[in-house]
Amino acid sequence: MTLQTLEKTIQNQTLVFTNQRALFWHEQKAIIISDLHIGKTAYFRKNGIPIPSDILEKDLKRLAVLIENFDAEQLLIVGDFLHAGKNKDFEIFEAWRSKNLTLKIILIKGNHDIHKADFLKHLDITIFNDFLKLDPFTFIHEPIDSENQFSISGHLHPGVTVKLEKRKTVRLPCFRVSDNQLILPAFSEFTGLDTKSCEDFDCIAFNDDLIFEL
């Protein structure tokens, strides 16, 4: 896995954008992701759609590399940690968690995270139902636009279409940034991209060895 980064100061804090669909908050030693969607591939397979079983394993491997690279102490998941309750994919995450027991995990629930998830208790995950205020940021799954706070969210799976050489274009996941909010790309590679959600906003995207600030 090749790691590319772009460091920016936002709200007097150091945030590191990565080409692995994750953000690193230097002051809190925290990896921040959204839309991991554990259980999505198993759900599709259960319903007869042939989806490779190693997608989640690859996502978690990327996450482990990020944690090691940044020496992270916390993982903040800004919603949609789960996709469809407890299934075979969840067992993969349980095994991953057993190898990362010292990592503090905080989940701010998203629309896919079921209301009662007692099976999460043994994983030592701190759960917030609506939002988490961790100055100077508010973490919430669905984006909010407020002049009174800077929010970090997910949900939209933002993407952007970038023009390359020879009239070629490529669609990339991106970070959407404005004066009072930052919207994360979906961490899971098994998600679509909403390119319309990034129109009229500043976006940061990565492709191979290139970094696009649009």
Side-chain angles (χ1 to χ4, degrees), residues 126-140:
T126 302
I127 299 175
F128 292 84
N129 288 323
D130 300 311
F131 66 91
L132 168 63
K133 181 70 174 177
L134 201 56
D135 286 335
F137 304 120
T138 296
F139 295 92
I140 188 168

Side-chain angles (χ1 to χ4, degrees), residues 133-167:
K133 181 70 174 177
L134 201 56
D135 286 335
F137 304 120
T138 296
F139 295 92
I140 188 168
H141 180 59
E142 297 191 25
I144 54 173
D145 190 0
S146 171
E147 295 180 356
N148 299 320
Q149 58 188 327
F150 191 99
S151 64
I152 297 179
S153 56
H155 185 60
L156 297 183
H157 303 184
V160 65
T161 300
V162 177
K163 294 181 180 180
L164 302 177
E165 296 178 352
K166 298 180 181 179
R167 299 182 180 178

Side-chain angles (χ1 to χ4, degrees), residues 30-160:
I31 297 289
I32 307 170
I33 66 172
S34 183
D35 298 278
L36 184 55
H37 286 284
I38 292 174
K40 186 175 182 178
T41 56
Y43 175 81
F44 274 63
R45 290 193 301 272
K46 182 179 179 181
N47 287 276
I49 302 174
I51 302 297
S53 60
D54 63 345
I55 292 176
L56 176 60
E57 292 176 346
K58 290 179 179 178
D59 286 340
L60 294 176
K61 184 177 181 179
R62 286 191 295 119
L63 184 55
V65 171
L66 287 166
I67 291 167
E68 181 178 2
N69 179 82
F70 290 107
D71 194 23
E73 297 176 356
Q74 301 185 71
L75 172 64
L76 273 62
I77 306 172
V78 193
D80 284 1
F81 167 65
L82 299 172
H83 182 82
K86 188 175 183 180
N87 56 26
K88 290 292 184 180
D89 277 2
F90 189 76
E91 295 175 5
I92 295 173
F93 180 80
E94 286 180 307
W96 184 90
R97 177 57 164 156
S98 70
K99 299 175 183 178
N100 296 273
L101 293 175
T102 60
L103 181 71
K104 181 179 181 180
I105 300 180
I106 298 173
L107 167 64
I108 299 91
K109 279 190 172 184
N111 55 295
H112 276 280
D113 296 309
I114 59 178
H115 181 63
K116 293 183 178 180
D118 293 338
F119 54 86
L120 295 180
K121 290 182 178 179
H122 72 287
L123 295 179
D124 191 24
I125 296 176
T126 302
I127 299 175
F128 292 84
N129 288 323
D130 300 311
F131 66 91
L132 168 63
K133 181 70 174 177
L134 201 56
D135 286 335
F137 304 120
T138 296
F139 295 92
I140 188 168
H141 180 59
E142 297 191 25
I144 54 173
D145 190 0
S146 171
E147 295 180 356
N148 299 320
Q149 58 188 327
F150 191 99
S151 64
I152 297 179
S153 56
H155 185 60
L156 297 183
H157 303 184
V160 65

